[in-house]
Amino acid sequence: MAKLSALRDKIKEHLLRQIQNGELQVGKTINLAALSRVTGISVTPIREALTQLEQAQVIQAVPNRGFVVAKLSKQEVKNLIEIVAQLEVMALESSKFEPDEMDALARMQSELEATTTISEGLRARFNFHNHLVQHCPNKVLLQILKDLKVRLHFYEHDFIKDHGFFKKLSTQTRSVVDAIQEDNVPTAALILRMHWMSILEHIEAQISVKNG
């Protein structure tokens, strides 16, 4: 059972890397046989991993096609970001930051600011947000957040193309880090919530333009 679980996790991490690199795109069918050849993992744990990702609403099962990356919608991104914002703020408020942990967070923020492309920046952003709340004691909350962020990453990858807007996001996360370093978690939480609402407003506008 432990081995099967490890194989499922390996497949999910492989797919996550593809999402982060923009290789796994909306509407694309996931080929189980090809995935098995690339990873060296049998179809059974792959199918179980895909079923779990379907339950997390990252992908969807389509009759006669298999598993497909679901289409994006304004309503879904609104629901996703509102939930992610609420849960990440809850996780932040219940986290404790030791000096070495604050140093690591500041280092990740600097790495985020040093990225030169949107693609690199989005990967660094994903890692920063996971690291921000990793010491939250509520592991169930963290798992839910992780699943939701995988789906959310499709929206960020498709609709955050403006380097100026990305720099604005980096400025906001820098303010979150500064507030944590000043031991002012309430302010950090407030800025974090504002940060997610900025993303929601931007992506909704981009979807409207695309559908316009």
Side-chain angles (χ1 to χ4, degrees):
M1 180 64 73
K3 183 178 180 181
L4 183 60
S5 177
L7 292 174
R8 285 199 306 262
D9 289 344
K10 184 176 179 181
I11 288 296
K12 287 193 283 187
E13 289 300 319
H14 174 79
L15 292 172
L16 177 58
R17 282 195 299 273
Q18 287 192 309
I19 293 168
Q20 290 178 314
N21 293 333
E23 298 167 19
L24 187 58
Q25 298 176 348
V26 172
K28 183 174 180 179
T29 300
I30 300 169
N31 187 306
L32 271 68
L35 195 51
S36 179
R37 286 195 300 273
V38 169
T39 60
I41 295 174
S42 66
V43 170
T44 298
I46 290 176
R47 191 179 296 278
E48 291 188 12
L50 293 175
T51 298
Q52 288 184 358
L53 289 174
E54 182 193 13
Q55 292 170 348
Q57 298 185 358
V58 175
I59 58 178
Q60 64 182 140
V62 178
N64 302 320
R65 282 190 66 187
F67 291 97
V68 177
V69 179
K71 291 182 180 179
L72 308 181
S73 74
K74 185 183 286 190
Q75 185 58 51
E76 185 193 29
V77 74
K78 183 176 189 297
N79 293 341
L80 273 173
I81 291 181
E82 286 176 349
I83 295 169
V84 166
Q86 184 69 21
L87 293 182
E88 196 167 86
V89 166
M90 287 173 59
L92 177 63
E93 289 174 336
S94 62
S95 298
K96 291 184 178 180
F97 295 90
E98 301 297 333
D100 59 337
E101 176 58 28
M102 287 190 285
D103 290 342
L105 196 60
R107 189 164 55 251
M108 292 191 75
Q109 171 65 28
S110 296
E111 291 171 1
L112 174 59
E113 292 170 344
T115 57
T116 56
T117 68
I118 295 293
S119 181
E120 288 177 356
L122 289 176
R123 286 197 292 272
R125 233 183 74 72
F126 192 86
N127 293 330
F128 171 86
H129 278 271
N130 285 341
H131 193 81
L132 178 65
V133 296
Q134 69 173 354
H135 293 295
C136 168
N138 189 331
K139 301 307 176 187
V140 174
L141 186 157
L142 290 183
Q143 185 58 55
I144 294 171
L145 257 178
K146 184 177 180 181
D147 289 342
L148 291 172
K149 285 177 182 176
V150 172
R151 177 60 177 165
L152 184 56
H153 197 79
F154 284 105
Y155 285 91
E156 295 198 351
H157 198 277
D158 272 26
F159 295 109
I160 297 181
K161 305 287 190 183
D162 182 342
H163 198 263
F165 176 71
F166 187 80
K167 287 296 183 183
K168 174 184 175 181
L169 297 182
S170 299
T171 300
Q172 290 172 349
T173 53
R174 167 61 70 183
S175 296
V176 171
V177 173
D178 289 345
I180 292 171
Q181 289 178 324
E182 294 166 4
D183 197 25
N184 191 345
V185 173
T187 295
L190 187 64
I191 297 169
L192 183 60
R193 189 183 299 278
M194 177 187 70
H195 171 75
W196 282 113
M197 291 307 104
S198 294
I199 295 171
L200 174 57
E201 182 179 342
H202 179 81
I203 292 178
E204 283 184 322
Q206 294 301 308
I207 292 176
S208 293
V209 170
K210 185 176 181 179
N211 295 341

